[in-house]
Amino acid sequence: MTALLEPPIGLLAELTHRCPLQCPYCSNPLNLETVRGELTTAQWCDVFRQSGDIGIQQVHLSGGEPASRRDLEALVDGAAKAGLYSNLITSGAGLTQSRLERLAAAGLDHVQLSIQDADAANSDRIAGYAGGFQRKMDVAGHVRALGLPLTVNAPVHRQNLDRLDDIIALAVRLGALRLEVAHVQYYAWALANRAALMPTREQIDRSIEIVASARERLKGVLTIDFVAPDYYAERPKPCMGGWGRGIINVTPSGLALPCHAAQTLPGLVFDNVVERPLAEIWASSPAFQAFRGTDWMREPCRSCDLRTLDFGGCRCQAMALTGDAANTDPACSKSPRHGELAALAESESANPPLPLRYRRM
Amino acid sequence: MSADGQKSDGKTAKTAARARLVLTASSAPRLARHVRLKHDAVRQQWILLAPEKILTPSETAVEVLQLCDGVRTVEAIAGELARAYAAPANAILADILPLLQDLADQGHLAR
Ligand code: SF4
Ligand code: SF4
């Protein structure tokens, strides 16, 4: 490390891995943590206080489904008291009007609601949860009625991309401030379902056009964030804004990870927030140090001008696809493995989709 | 799912769409309820906290935003800054109107 360490800005708090939905692209690990190991209310509130002290500004209350925690109201209150801007990342399951009222009163700042499709039947099929779509519509209505800002998050893939126009129209109808059109990133459950979810190149190109024209048409009405698909890309994404540069992810049992998929990297040692102060973890936890900055890089990243912009892409993708986390992310056209990626995507997306493997404990 | 939930869906959805906020010199914008202008004690700088975004507004933007109280018009804000900096109000208005419109288009301002 040559540069001075900046303080972290965001906390991704995976409150629980429990979730009644079974999305086949869930970013939770295949080995889901059980309720028994979950941090207590007091332990989370302490993490929030420490977060505020070291410069974290936003907390993303995520999961699993965070509303599966009976103490969600107390956790939102704890985040607010720690001065954090709180974002609830929810599937809508477990949120009633009265619960949302209590969350708003506790100081919740923003709700991000995921949808699986604009088509109710397909949405419920993808989520593996009957009636889920209608619940989401109700939740969106309650969120807006409370005056809370709403982001709709739509993970897109081969089995819903042809309805992207409808998804955008739905977000507008729901009064969302933002829409995230997020091409599925193939880690964890999504990797296990890649052949069923991988879009075709035509679908990708079309999605880029649709988003571009919607952005123009809906200026000031709906902000659309677009998460580009890696497999057909030329440049990788700066995953997490760079390893150990701004974000701390805490798992339900308190492990501090530099990225939610970091547990797929062999040999990394994680600290637990119950055992070590967050400031120390940020400064010197071995997992955070492992790929911080640029010293760990090999060629072609080591001598590349873009290395301080994209930090060599995603470590977990490099691991999953090349077998070594310190390699260049193959999403980059300079990676010697780059050609395989698009070829794989093209061949997988040309086959009839395999049955979905649902996320289950 | 309750029958009542099913019924409420169509209605809520239809009436809730947002409209673009177009600002003129006589608009009196304020920060949207979900946006917070805050001094970050650790980084020693002003930040704007918004849904899944953190902006670091310029010094000018901070001054302008501190005056956006929903009462003062953009013109009045330009006038105040013009007096403070002994600069022509017109030039300031021409600078801050696009800045505010841009923030409005990102959903950070309200009327
Ligand atoms: S992606 Fe789906 S299954 Fe995974 S936590 Fe979110 S709603 Fe639940
Ligand atoms: S070679 Fe490495 S640093 Fe350069 S663009 Fe590719 S991934 Fe980024």
Side-chain angles (χ1 to χ4, degrees), chain A residues 8 57-58 85 109 173 221, chain B residues 13 18 34 36 38 43 50:
Chain A
Q57 296 295 341
Q58 290 193 330
Y85 188 100
D109 288 302
R173 278 207 309 283
V221 173
Chain B
R18 302 175 63 251
H34 55 263
R36 227 182 285 155
K38 173 182 171 184
R43 292 174 187 77

Side-chain angles (χ1 to χ4, degrees), chain A residues 231-259:
Chain A
Y231 279 58
Y232 295 100
E234 294 300 313
R235 287 278 167 269
K237 280 193 270 301
C239 190
M240 307 303 280
W243 189 273
R245 277 190 85 235
I247 311 287
I248 302 178
N249 183 119
V250 177
T251 74
S253 65
L255 290 180
L257 316 179
C259 141

Side-chain angles (χ1 to χ4, degrees), chain A residues 7-9 55 57-58 83 85 87 109-110 112 131 134 137-138 141 146 149 172-173 175-177 180 219 221, chain B residues 1 5-6 8-9 12-13 16-18 20 33-34 36 38 40 42-43 47 49-54 105-107:
Chain A
I9 191 94
Q57 296 295 341
Q58 290 193 330
Y85 188 100
N87 171 26
D109 288 302
H110 170 238
Q112 178 190 306
Q134 185 55 48
M137 299 302 104
D138 293 347
L146 283 165
V172 171
R173 278 207 309 283
L177 189 69
E180 293 179 0
K219 193 179 167 101
V221 173
Chain B
M1 208 56 43
Q6 307 240 338
S8 71
D9 162 39
T12 323
R18 302 175 63 251
R20 185 180 182 206
R33 199 185 107 176
H34 55 263
R36 227 182 285 155
K38 173 182 171 184
D40 178 341
V42 173
R43 292 174 187 77
I47 54 173
L49 291 167
E52 292 174 63
K53 267 201 184 75
I54 300 174
D105 284 341
Q106 294 175 58

Side-chain angles (χ1 to χ4, degrees), chain A residues 177-215:
Chain A
L177 189 69
R178 297 175 63 246
L179 168 66
E180 293 179 0
V181 175
H183 273 280
V184 164
Q185 305 294 301
Y186 294 95
Y187 319 120
W189 291 87
L191 188 59
N193 281 295
R194 192 180 60 196
L197 299 173
M198 182 62 68
T200 63
R201 194 180 282 274
E202 294 70 51
Q203 281 184 311
I204 302 258
D205 291 347
R206 182 98 189 90
S207 73
I208 293 169
E209 281 166 26
I210 289 175
V211 166
S213 87
R215 274 184 178 150

